[in-house]
Protein backbone atom coordinates (compact mmCIF):
# COMPACT_ATOMS: atom_id res chain seq x y z
CA UNK A 1 0.00 0.00 0.00
CA UNK A 2 1.40 3.38 -0.96
CA UNK A 3 1.86 6.52 1.08
CA UNK A 4 -1.37 8.43 0.16
CA UNK A 5 -3.37 5.86 2.17
CA UNK A 6 -2.14 7.37 5.39
CA UNK A 7 -2.95 10.95 4.54
CA UNK A 8 -5.68 12.27 6.81
CA UNK A 9 -8.62 13.21 4.68
CA UNK A 10 -12.08 14.37 5.69
CA UNK A 11 -14.98 12.06 4.83
CA UNK A 12 -15.88 14.28 1.88
CA UNK A 13 -12.28 14.47 0.65
CA UNK A 14 -11.91 10.70 0.88
CA UNK A 15 -15.16 10.15 -0.99
CA UNK A 16 -14.02 12.55 -3.73
CA UNK A 17 -10.64 10.82 -3.92
CA UNK A 18 -12.28 7.40 -4.39
CA UNK A 19 -14.71 8.71 -7.01
CA UNK A 20 -11.86 10.30 -8.94
CA UNK A 21 -9.85 7.07 -8.85
CA UNK A 22 -12.94 5.17 -10.07
CA UNK A 23 -13.65 7.74 -12.81
CA UNK A 24 -10.05 7.37 -14.01
CA UNK A 25 -10.48 3.60 -14.34
CA UNK A 26 -14.00 3.68 -15.83
CA UNK A 27 -12.74 6.23 -18.39
CA UNK A 28 -10.45 3.79 -20.16
CA UNK A 29 -11.73 0.33 -19.19
CA UNK A 30 -15.01 -1.45 -19.74
CA UNK A 31 -17.10 -1.46 -16.54
CA UNK A 32 -16.82 -5.25 -16.39
CA UNK A 33 -13.00 -4.98 -16.31
CA UNK A 34 -12.89 -2.53 -13.40
CA UNK A 35 -12.54 -4.19 -9.96
CA UNK A 36 -12.77 -2.75 -6.46
CA UNK A 37 -9.18 -3.95 -5.94
CA UNK A 38 -8.20 -1.83 -8.92
CA UNK A 39 -9.99 1.22 -7.52
CA UNK A 40 -8.37 0.68 -4.11
CA UNK A 41 -4.92 0.37 -5.73
CA UNK A 42 -5.46 3.47 -7.89
CA UNK A 43 -6.48 5.47 -4.80
CA UNK A 44 -3.71 3.93 -2.71
CA UNK A 45 -6.11 2.66 -0.05
CA UNK A 46 -7.35 -0.71 1.20
CA UNK A 47 -10.29 -2.58 -0.31
CA UNK A 48 -12.25 -2.50 3.01
CA UNK A 49 -11.93 1.27 3.01
CA UNK A 50 -13.53 1.41 -0.47
CA UNK A 51 -16.37 -0.78 0.83
CA UNK A 52 -16.80 1.40 3.92
CA UNK A 53 -17.51 4.40 1.67
CA UNK A 54 -19.37 2.46 -1.02
CA UNK A 55 -21.13 -0.47 0.65
CA UNK A 56 -23.00 -1.08 -2.62
CA UNK A 57 -19.67 -2.03 -4.22
CA UNK A 58 -18.84 -1.45 -7.88
CA UNK A 59 -22.38 -0.53 -8.93
CA UNK A 60 -22.54 2.26 -6.33
CA UNK A 61 -19.06 3.53 -7.24
CA UNK A 62 -19.98 3.50 -10.94
CA UNK A 63 -23.10 5.56 -10.32
CA UNK A 64 -21.15 8.02 -8.16
CA UNK A 65 -18.47 8.33 -10.86
CA UNK A 66 -21.18 8.83 -13.51
CA UNK A 67 -22.86 11.48 -11.33
CA UNK A 68 -19.54 13.31 -11.07
CA UNK A 69 -18.98 13.07 -14.85
CA UNK A 70 -22.54 14.32 -15.47
CA UNK A 71 -21.90 17.35 -13.24
CA UNK A 72 -18.77 18.12 -15.26
CA UNK A 73 -20.66 17.75 -18.57
CA UNK A 74 -23.49 19.96 -17.34
CA UNK A 75 -20.96 22.72 -16.59
CA UNK A 76 -19.79 22.60 -20.23
CA UNK A 77 -22.50 24.97 -21.47
CA UNK A 78 -22.19 27.31 -18.51
CA UNK A 79 -21.02 30.34 -20.50
CA UNK A 80 -21.64 34.10 -20.13
CA UNK A 81 -24.56 35.16 -22.37
CA UNK A 82 -22.54 37.67 -24.39
CA UNK A 83 -20.57 37.81 -27.61
CA UNK A 84 -21.22 35.91 -30.85
CA UNK A 85 -23.42 32.84 -30.25
CA UNK A 86 -21.23 30.49 -32.27
CA UNK A 87 -18.12 31.42 -30.24
CA UNK A 88 -19.96 30.58 -27.02
CA UNK A 89 -21.11 27.25 -28.41
CA UNK A 90 -17.57 26.61 -29.66
CA UNK A 91 -16.13 26.96 -26.16
CA UNK A 92 -18.81 24.65 -24.71
CA UNK A 93 -18.18 22.10 -27.47
CA UNK A 94 -14.40 22.18 -26.80
CA UNK A 95 -15.03 21.25 -23.18
CA UNK A 96 -17.43 18.47 -24.22
CA UNK A 97 -15.01 16.97 -26.75
CA UNK A 98 -12.13 17.16 -24.25
CA UNK A 99 -14.30 15.07 -21.92
CA UNK A 100 -15.02 12.56 -24.72
CA UNK A 101 -11.32 12.35 -25.58
CA UNK A 102 -10.30 11.83 -21.93
CA UNK A 103 -13.01 9.25 -21.12
CA UNK A 104 -13.12 7.38 -24.40
CA UNK A 105 -13.88 3.80 -23.33
CA UNK A 106 -16.25 4.80 -20.55
CA UNK A 107 -18.11 7.21 -22.83
CA UNK A 108 -18.60 4.52 -25.48
CA UNK A 109 -19.62 1.82 -22.97
CA UNK A 110 -22.17 4.12 -21.38
CA UNK A 111 -23.77 5.41 -24.57
CA UNK A 112 -23.62 2.26 -26.65
CA UNK A 113 -25.47 0.37 -23.94
CA UNK A 114 -25.43 -3.28 -23.05
CA UNK A 115 -23.10 -2.84 -20.09
CA UNK A 116 -23.66 -4.79 -16.88
CA UNK A 117 -23.73 -1.63 -14.74
CA UNK A 118 -26.51 0.10 -16.70
CA UNK A 119 -29.73 0.65 -14.84
CA UNK A 120 -32.72 2.94 -15.11
CA UNK A 121 -30.77 5.27 -12.76
CA UNK A 122 -27.77 5.52 -15.09
CA UNK A 123 -30.13 6.16 -18.03
CA UNK A 124 -31.84 8.90 -16.07
CA UNK A 125 -28.49 10.62 -15.43
CA UNK A 126 -27.56 10.54 -19.13
CA UNK A 127 -30.99 11.91 -20.07
CA UNK A 128 -30.60 14.68 -17.52
CA UNK A 129 -27.29 15.74 -19.13
CA UNK A 130 -28.99 15.90 -22.55
CA UNK A 131 -31.94 17.86 -21.16
CA UNK A 132 -29.65 20.33 -19.36
CA UNK A 133 -27.56 20.86 -22.51
CA UNK A 134 -30.73 21.58 -24.53
CA UNK A 135 -32.00 24.06 -21.94
CA UNK A 136 -28.66 25.85 -21.80
CA UNK A 137 -28.37 26.12 -25.59
CA UNK A 138 -31.97 27.39 -25.82
CA UNK A 139 -31.14 29.99 -23.15
CA UNK A 140 -28.15 31.12 -25.26
CA UNK A 141 -30.51 31.35 -28.24
CA UNK A 142 -32.82 33.53 -26.13
CA UNK A 143 -35.68 31.00 -26.45
CA UNK A 144 -36.52 29.59 -23.02
CA UNK A 145 -39.95 28.41 -24.26
CA UNK A 146 -39.26 27.16 -27.78
CA UNK A 147 -41.76 25.82 -30.31
CA UNK A 148 -41.62 22.23 -31.58
CA UNK A 149 -39.28 22.86 -34.52
CA UNK A 150 -36.70 24.87 -32.61
CA UNK A 151 -36.70 22.32 -29.78
CA UNK A 152 -36.34 19.46 -32.29
CA UNK A 153 -33.43 21.32 -33.91
CA UNK A 154 -31.49 21.83 -30.68
CA UNK A 155 -32.15 18.33 -29.36
CA UNK A 156 -31.21 16.78 -32.72
CA UNK A 157 -27.92 18.69 -32.81
CA UNK A 158 -27.10 17.40 -29.30
CA UNK A 159 -27.92 13.90 -30.47
CA UNK A 160 -25.73 14.39 -33.57
CA UNK A 161 -22.83 15.64 -31.40
CA UNK A 162 -23.18 12.54 -29.22
CA UNK A 163 -23.41 10.26 -32.26
CA UNK A 164 -20.48 11.95 -34.01
CA UNK A 165 -18.39 11.60 -30.82
CA UNK A 166 -19.06 7.85 -30.70
CA UNK A 167 -18.31 7.50 -34.41
CA UNK A 168 -15.11 9.54 -33.98
CA UNK A 169 -13.96 7.19 -31.20
CA UNK A 170 -14.91 4.19 -33.34
CA UNK A 171 -12.89 5.65 -36.26
CA UNK A 172 -9.73 5.87 -34.08
CA UNK A 173 -10.25 9.60 -33.42
CA UNK A 174 -10.12 10.64 -37.09
CA UNK A 175 -10.26 13.43 -38.25
CA UNK A 176 -8.23 15.27 -35.53
CA UNK A 177 -10.36 16.69 -32.72
CA UNK A 178 -10.05 20.32 -33.93
CA UNK A 179 -11.51 19.25 -37.28
CA UNK A 180 -14.38 17.44 -35.55
CA UNK A 181 -15.03 20.50 -33.36
CA UNK A 182 -15.17 22.97 -36.25
CA UNK A 183 -17.31 20.64 -38.36
CA UNK A 184 -19.83 20.18 -35.50
CA UNK A 185 -20.06 23.97 -35.12
CA UNK A 186 -20.61 24.36 -38.89
CA UNK A 187 -23.23 21.65 -38.47
CA UNK A 188 -25.02 23.77 -35.86
CA UNK A 189 -24.96 26.86 -38.08
CA UNK A 190 -26.34 24.90 -41.03
CA UNK A 191 -29.07 23.27 -38.92
CA UNK A 192 -30.09 26.66 -37.54
CA UNK A 193 -30.20 28.02 -41.09
CA UNK A 194 -32.30 25.25 -42.68
CA UNK A 195 -34.67 25.27 -39.69
CA UNK A 196 -34.99 29.06 -40.03
CA UNK A 197 -35.97 28.52 -43.68
CA UNK A 198 -39.21 26.86 -42.53
CA UNK A 199 -39.92 28.24 -39.05
CA UNK A 200 -40.51 31.94 -38.24
CA UNK A 201 -39.42 31.58 -34.58
CA UNK A 202 -36.07 30.07 -35.60
CA UNK A 203 -35.74 32.63 -38.42
CA UNK A 204 -35.96 35.51 -35.90
CA UNK A 205 -33.28 33.86 -33.73
CA UNK A 206 -31.01 33.17 -36.71
CA UNK A 207 -31.36 36.79 -37.80
CA UNK A 208 -30.39 38.05 -34.32
CA UNK A 209 -27.45 35.64 -34.12
CA UNK A 210 -26.25 36.52 -37.62
CA UNK A 211 -26.33 40.24 -36.85
CA UNK A 212 -23.82 39.68 -34.02
CA UNK A 213 -21.38 37.77 -36.20
CA UNK A 214 -18.38 39.66 -37.55
CA UNK A 215 -16.66 39.68 -40.95
CA UNK A 216 -13.56 38.00 -39.49
CA UNK A 217 -15.59 35.55 -37.36
CA UNK A 218 -16.30 31.87 -37.64
CA UNK A 219 -19.61 32.10 -39.52
CA UNK A 220 -18.07 34.48 -42.07
CA UNK A 221 -15.31 31.90 -42.61
CA UNK A 222 -17.91 29.21 -43.22
CA UNK A 223 -19.79 31.45 -45.67
CA UNK A 224 -16.57 32.08 -47.65
CA UNK A 225 -15.79 28.34 -47.75
CA UNK A 226 -19.34 27.59 -48.89
CA UNK A 227 -19.36 30.01 -51.82
CA UNK A 228 -17.42 27.77 -54.29
CA UNK A 229 -19.63 24.79 -53.35
CA UNK A 230 -22.93 26.56 -53.89
CA UNK A 231 -21.70 28.43 -57.02
CA UNK A 232 -22.31 25.18 -58.93
CA UNK A 233 -25.98 25.34 -57.97
CA UNK A 234 -26.74 28.56 -59.86
CA UNK A 235 -29.03 26.65 -62.26
CA UNK A 236 -31.32 25.96 -59.29
CA UNK A 237 -32.12 29.64 -58.96
CA UNK A 238 -33.70 29.85 -62.42
CA UNK A 239 -37.50 29.96 -62.20
CA UNK A 240 -39.03 26.50 -62.90
CA UNK A 241 -40.14 26.01 -66.48
CA UNK A 242 -43.74 25.62 -67.68
CA UNK B 1 -58.92 -19.79 -28.96
CA UNK B 2 -59.90 -18.31 -32.29
CA UNK B 3 -60.28 -19.91 -35.68
CA UNK B 4 -56.83 -19.15 -37.19
CA UNK B 5 -55.29 -21.68 -34.76
CA UNK B 6 -56.67 -24.50 -36.86
CA UNK B 7 -55.39 -23.27 -40.20
CA UNK B 8 -52.78 -25.65 -41.60
CA UNK B 9 -49.53 -23.76 -42.02
CA UNK B 10 -46.10 -25.01 -43.02
CA UNK B 11 -43.36 -24.77 -40.39
CA UNK B 12 -41.98 -21.63 -42.08
CA UNK B 13 -45.43 -20.02 -42.39
CA UNK B 14 -46.17 -20.73 -38.73
CA UNK B 15 -42.82 -19.29 -37.67
CA UNK B 16 -43.47 -16.15 -39.74
CA UNK B 17 -46.98 -15.85 -38.30
CA UNK B 18 -45.64 -16.02 -34.72
CA UNK B 19 -42.86 -13.50 -35.44
CA UNK B 20 -45.36 -11.10 -36.97
CA UNK B 21 -47.67 -11.42 -33.97
CA UNK B 22 -44.69 -10.79 -31.67
CA UNK B 23 -43.50 -7.82 -33.74
CA UNK B 24 -46.99 -6.32 -33.52
CA UNK B 25 -46.92 -6.54 -29.72
CA UNK B 26 -43.30 -5.42 -29.28
CA UNK B 27 -44.05 -2.43 -31.54
CA UNK B 28 -46.42 -0.79 -29.08
CA UNK B 29 -45.59 -2.33 -25.69
CA UNK B 30 -42.45 -2.35 -23.58
CA UNK B 31 -40.67 -5.73 -23.84
CA UNK B 32 -41.35 -6.36 -20.14
CA UNK B 33 -45.11 -6.00 -20.76
CA UNK B 34 -45.22 -8.53 -23.60
CA UNK B 35 -46.02 -12.10 -22.49
CA UNK B 36 -45.98 -15.38 -24.39
CA UNK B 37 -49.69 -15.69 -23.58
CA UNK B 38 -50.18 -12.35 -25.33
CA UNK B 39 -48.23 -13.51 -28.38
CA UNK B 40 -50.20 -16.78 -28.46
CA UNK B 41 -53.48 -14.87 -28.23
CA UNK B 42 -52.46 -12.38 -30.94
CA UNK B 43 -51.51 -15.25 -33.26
CA UNK B 44 -54.62 -17.25 -32.28
CA UNK B 45 -52.60 -20.29 -31.19
CA UNK B 46 -51.84 -22.09 -27.94
CA UNK B 47 -48.96 -21.17 -25.61
CA UNK B 48 -47.30 -24.63 -26.02
CA UNK B 49 -47.24 -24.10 -29.76
CA UNK B 50 -45.34 -20.81 -29.28
CA UNK B 51 -42.86 -22.67 -27.05
CA UNK B 52 -42.48 -25.46 -29.60
CA UNK B 53 -41.30 -22.92 -32.19
CA UNK B 54 -39.39 -20.71 -29.74
CA UNK B 55 -38.09 -22.94 -26.91
CA UNK B 56 -35.99 -19.97 -25.69
CA UNK B 57 -39.24 -18.19 -24.82
CA UNK B 58 -39.71 -14.42 -24.95
CA UNK B 59 -36.01 -13.63 -25.42
CA UNK B 60 -35.80 -15.82 -28.52
CA UNK B 61 -39.04 -14.41 -29.93
CA UNK B 62 -37.81 -10.86 -29.28
CA UNK B 63 -34.58 -11.50 -31.15
CA UNK B 64 -36.45 -13.12 -34.05
CA UNK B 65 -38.83 -10.13 -34.20
CA UNK B 66 -35.86 -7.74 -34.09
CA UNK B 67 -34.12 -9.69 -36.88
CA UNK B 68 -37.27 -9.38 -38.99
CA UNK B 69 -37.50 -5.63 -38.25
CA UNK B 70 -33.80 -5.19 -39.10
CA UNK B 71 -34.34 -6.92 -42.46
CA UNK B 72 -37.19 -4.51 -43.19
CA UNK B 73 -35.06 -1.49 -42.20
CA UNK B 74 -32.14 -2.68 -44.32
CA UNK B 75 -34.45 -2.80 -47.34
CA UNK B 76 -35.31 0.90 -46.81
CA UNK B 77 -32.28 2.16 -48.74
CA UNK B 78 -32.64 -0.42 -51.50
CA UNK B 79 -33.29 2.08 -54.31
CA UNK B 80 -32.33 2.17 -58.02
CA UNK B 81 -29.15 4.22 -58.49
CA UNK B 82 -30.73 6.75 -60.84
CA UNK B 83 -32.37 10.16 -60.70
CA UNK B 84 -31.64 13.03 -58.30
CA UNK B 85 -29.81 11.79 -55.16
CA UNK B 86 -32.03 13.67 -52.74
CA UNK B 87 -35.19 12.12 -54.23
CA UNK B 88 -33.74 8.64 -53.70
CA UNK B 89 -32.79 9.45 -50.12
CA UNK B 90 -36.24 10.95 -49.61
CA UNK B 91 -37.96 7.69 -50.59
CA UNK B 92 -35.66 5.68 -48.28
CA UNK B 93 -36.30 8.12 -45.43
CA UNK B 94 -40.08 7.85 -45.94
CA UNK B 95 -39.87 4.08 -45.48
CA UNK B 96 -37.68 4.49 -42.38
CA UNK B 97 -40.02 7.03 -40.75
CA UNK B 98 -43.06 4.89 -41.55
CA UNK B 99 -41.33 2.10 -39.62
CA UNK B 100 -40.62 4.44 -36.68
CA UNK B 101 -44.23 5.62 -36.69
CA UNK B 102 -45.60 2.06 -36.78
CA UNK B 103 -43.25 0.62 -34.12
CA UNK B 104 -43.04 3.60 -31.78
CA UNK B 105 -42.75 1.99 -28.34
CA UNK B 106 -40.52 -0.86 -29.52
CA UNK B 107 -38.24 1.53 -31.41
CA UNK B 108 -37.80 3.74 -28.33
CA UNK B 109 -37.28 0.80 -25.94
CA UNK B 110 -34.67 -0.72 -28.21
CA UNK B 111 -32.66 2.43 -28.91
CA UNK B 112 -32.95 4.07 -25.51
CA UNK B 113 -31.55 0.96 -23.88
CA UNK B 114 -32.03 -0.40 -20.39
CA UNK B 115 -34.56 -3.03 -21.45
CA UNK B 116 -34.47 -6.52 -19.95
CA UNK B 117 -34.28 -8.19 -23.36
CA UNK B 118 -31.18 -6.31 -24.55
CA UNK B 119 -28.09 -8.41 -25.10
CA UNK B 120 -24.87 -8.13 -27.08
CA UNK B 121 -26.78 -9.94 -29.87
CA UNK B 122 -29.54 -7.30 -30.03
CA UNK B 123 -26.87 -4.55 -30.05
CA UNK B 124 -25.05 -6.28 -32.90
CA UNK B 125 -28.28 -6.35 -34.95
CA UNK B 126 -28.87 -2.61 -34.42
CA UNK B 127 -25.26 -1.84 -35.35
CA UNK B 128 -25.60 -3.94 -38.49
CA UNK B 129 -28.63 -1.88 -39.57
CA UNK B 130 -26.62 1.34 -39.09
CA UNK B 131 -23.63 -0.05 -40.98
CA UNK B 132 -25.82 -1.26 -43.87
CA UNK B 133 -27.55 2.11 -44.11
CA UNK B 134 -24.16 3.89 -44.26
CA UNK B 135 -22.88 1.54 -46.98
CA UNK B 136 -26.03 1.97 -49.04
CA UNK B 137 -25.95 5.79 -48.79
CA UNK B 138 -22.25 5.83 -49.69
CA UNK B 139 -23.04 3.62 -52.71
CA UNK B 140 -25.71 6.14 -53.78
CA UNK B 141 -23.08 8.89 -53.38
CA UNK B 142 -20.76 6.86 -55.63
CA UNK B 143 -18.16 6.56 -52.85
CA UNK B 144 -17.74 2.89 -51.88
CA UNK B 145 -14.36 3.62 -50.23
CA UNK B 146 -14.87 7.00 -48.55
CA UNK B 147 -12.31 9.06 -46.64
CA UNK B 148 -12.69 9.83 -42.94
CA UNK B 149 -14.69 13.05 -43.33
CA UNK B 150 -17.21 11.70 -45.82
CA UNK B 151 -17.71 8.57 -43.71
CA UNK B 152 -18.13 10.69 -40.56
CA UNK B 153 -20.68 12.84 -42.40
CA UNK B 154 -22.84 9.92 -43.56
CA UNK B 155 -22.65 8.08 -40.22
CA UNK B 156 -23.45 11.27 -38.30
CA UNK B 157 -26.51 11.93 -40.45
CA UNK B 158 -27.76 8.39 -39.77
CA UNK B 159 -27.19 8.97 -36.08
CA UNK B 160 -29.04 12.31 -36.29
CA UNK B 161 -31.98 10.63 -38.09
CA UNK B 162 -32.14 8.04 -35.33
CA UNK B 163 -31.86 10.70 -32.62
CA UNK B 164 -34.45 12.94 -34.28
CA UNK B 165 -36.83 9.97 -34.58
CA UNK B 166 -36.55 9.27 -30.84
CA UNK B 167 -37.02 12.96 -30.02
CA UNK B 168 -40.02 13.14 -32.37
CA UNK B 169 -41.64 10.18 -30.55
CA UNK B 170 -40.80 11.79 -27.20
CA UNK B 171 -42.40 15.06 -28.42
CA UNK B 172 -45.70 13.27 -29.21
CA UNK B 173 -44.88 13.08 -32.94
CA UNK B 174 -44.60 16.85 -33.44
CA UNK B 175 -44.06 18.35 -36.03
CA UNK B 176 -46.15 16.13 -38.40
CA UNK B 177 -44.14 13.33 -40.02
CA UNK B 178 -43.98 15.05 -43.44
CA UNK B 179 -42.33 18.06 -41.78
CA UNK B 180 -39.83 15.82 -40.00
CA UNK B 181 -39.08 14.01 -43.28
CA UNK B 182 -38.44 17.18 -45.28
CA UNK B 183 -36.36 18.72 -42.48
CA UNK B 184 -34.15 15.61 -42.23
CA UNK B 185 -33.58 15.73 -45.99
CA UNK B 186 -32.66 19.43 -45.80
CA UNK B 187 -30.38 18.39 -42.95
CA UNK B 188 -28.62 15.91 -45.27
CA UNK B 189 -28.18 18.53 -48.00
CA UNK B 190 -26.76 21.03 -45.53
CA UNK B 191 -24.37 18.47 -43.98
CA UNK B 192 -23.15 17.46 -47.44
CA UNK B 193 -22.61 21.14 -48.26
CA UNK B 194 -20.67 22.13 -45.12
CA UNK B 195 -18.56 18.94 -45.36
CA UNK B 196 -17.84 19.74 -49.02
CA UNK B 197 -16.62 23.18 -47.88
CA UNK B 198 -13.66 21.50 -46.13
CA UNK B 199 -13.12 18.19 -47.93
CA UNK B 200 -12.25 17.82 -51.66
CA UNK B 201 -13.69 14.27 -51.92
CA UNK B 202 -17.06 15.42 -50.57
CA UNK B 203 -16.89 18.58 -52.73
CA UNK B 204 -16.62 16.47 -55.90
CA UNK B 205 -19.61 14.38 -54.82
CA UNK B 206 -21.67 17.43 -53.89
CA UNK B 207 -20.88 18.99 -57.28
CA UNK B 208 -22.02 15.83 -59.12
CA UNK B 209 -25.18 15.59 -57.01
CA UNK B 210 -25.99 19.28 -57.47
CA UNK B 211 -25.60 19.03 -61.25
CA UNK B 212 -28.38 16.42 -61.32
CA UNK B 213 -30.82 18.54 -59.33
CA UNK B 214 -33.48 20.42 -61.25
CA UNK B 215 -34.88 23.94 -60.92
CA UNK B 216 -38.26 22.57 -59.75
CA UNK B 217 -36.67 19.95 -57.49
CA UNK B 218 -36.31 19.63 -53.74
CA UNK B 219 -32.84 21.19 -53.41
CA UNK B 220 -33.91 24.18 -55.52
CA UNK B 221 -36.86 24.63 -53.15
CA UNK B 222 -34.49 24.61 -50.18
CA UNK B 223 -32.19 27.16 -51.87
CA UNK B 224 -35.15 29.51 -52.48
CA UNK B 225 -36.30 29.17 -48.85
CA UNK B 226 -32.75 29.84 -47.63
CA UNK B 227 -32.25 33.07 -49.59
CA UNK B 228 -34.18 35.37 -47.21
CA UNK B 229 -32.36 33.84 -44.20
CA UNK B 230 -28.86 34.31 -45.58
CA UNK B 231 -29.63 37.73 -47.08
CA UNK B 232 -29.22 39.13 -43.55
CA UNK B 233 -25.65 37.86 -43.52
CA UNK B 234 -24.40 40.10 -46.35
CA UNK B 235 -22.12 41.97 -43.90
CA UNK B 236 -20.16 38.72 -43.47
CA UNK B 237 -19.02 38.83 -47.08
CA UNK B 238 -17.19 42.15 -46.63
CA UNK B 239 -13.42 41.65 -46.38
CA UNK B 240 -12.25 41.75 -42.73
CA UNK B 241 -10.99 45.18 -41.62
CA UNK B 242 -7.38 45.95 -40.79
Amino acid sequence: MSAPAYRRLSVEQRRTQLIEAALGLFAHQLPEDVSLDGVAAAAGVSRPLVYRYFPGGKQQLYEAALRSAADELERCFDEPHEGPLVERLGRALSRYLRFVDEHDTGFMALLQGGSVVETSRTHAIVDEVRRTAAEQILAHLGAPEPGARLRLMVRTWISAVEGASLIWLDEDKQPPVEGLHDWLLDHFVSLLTITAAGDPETAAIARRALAREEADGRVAGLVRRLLPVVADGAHLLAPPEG
Side-chain angles (χ1 to χ4, degrees), chain A:
Chain A
M1 200 168 300
S2 58
Y6 302 103
R7 261 195 277 142
R8 284 182 174 266
L9 299 177
S10 72
V11 168
E12 202 40 53
Q13 284 172 324
R14 181 65 81 195
R15 206 184 122 81
T16 304
Q17 179 206 20
L18 295 178
I19 289 174
E20 278 175 9
L23 198 53
L25 296 184
F26 284 121
H28 300 297
Q29 290 176 42
L30 291 174
E32 46 270 41
D33 297 335
V34 174
S35 69
L36 284 192
D37 281 333
V39 173
V45 302
S46 67
R47 198 169 193 276
L49 190 133
V50 178
Y51 262 109
R52 199 180 322 142
Y53 278 78
F54 295 95
K58 187 161 88 172
Q59 183 68 34
Q60 197 188 353
L61 245 180
Y62 181 79
E63 290 186 22
L66 178 60
R67 181 68 263 162
S68 155
D71 291 342
E72 183 181 337
L73 281 171
E74 288 178 14
R75 282 191 298 272
C76 278
F77 288 87
D78 197 0
E79 269 283 321
H81 285 209
E82 52 199 35
L85 175 74
V86 181
E87 299 299 326
R88 293 183 231 166
L89 264 187
R91 286 189 293 272
L93 189 58
S94 289
R95 290 190 281 266
Y96 180 86
L97 292 178
R98 193 176 318 127
F99 180 92
V100 172
D101 198 10
E102 285 171 5
H103 299 79
D104 38 26
T105 309
F107 183 85
M108 284 186 96
L110 179 69
L111 291 182
Q112 286 187 328
S115 157
V116 286
V117 289
E118 272 183 78
T119 64
S120 57
R121 280 192 304 277
T122 65
H123 281 283
I125 293 176
V126 173
D127 263 354
E128 178 205 290
V129 172
R130 290 177 185 138
R131 191 160 304 122
T132 304
E135 281 166 12
Q136 287 176 328
I137 294 175
L138 286 162
H140 280 289
L141 291 173
E145 293 187 17
R149 284 174 181 265
L150 181 56
R151 207 163 52 226
L152 177 67
M153 188 281 269
V154 169
R155 294 184 68 187
T156 298
W157 184 69
I158 291 167
S159 160
V161 167
E162 216 176 80
S165 300
L166 285 174
I167 294 162
W168 180 71
L169 293 175
D170 181 51
E171 301 258 0
D172 297 324
K173 304 191 177 179
Q174 285 303 317
V177 68
E178 299 75 22
L180 176 67
H181 172 269
D182 292 353
W183 181 73
L184 285 170
L185 270 193
D186 289 352
H187 188 162
F188 182 86
V189 175
S190 74
L191 260 190
L192 184 69
T193 310
I194 62 149
T195 308
D199 178 51
E201 181 190 19
T202 309
I205 285 168
R207 195 164 294 127
R208 253 192 344 257
L210 210 50
R212 282 195 194 160
E213 291 294 328
E214 289 162 10
D216 55 354
R218 190 181 279 278
V219 174
L222 172 62
V223 170
R224 276 191 293 270
R225 279 181 287 123
L226 282 176
L227 287 180
V229 180
V230 297
D232 288 322
H235 63 290
L236 299 180
L237 288 174
E241 284 177 54

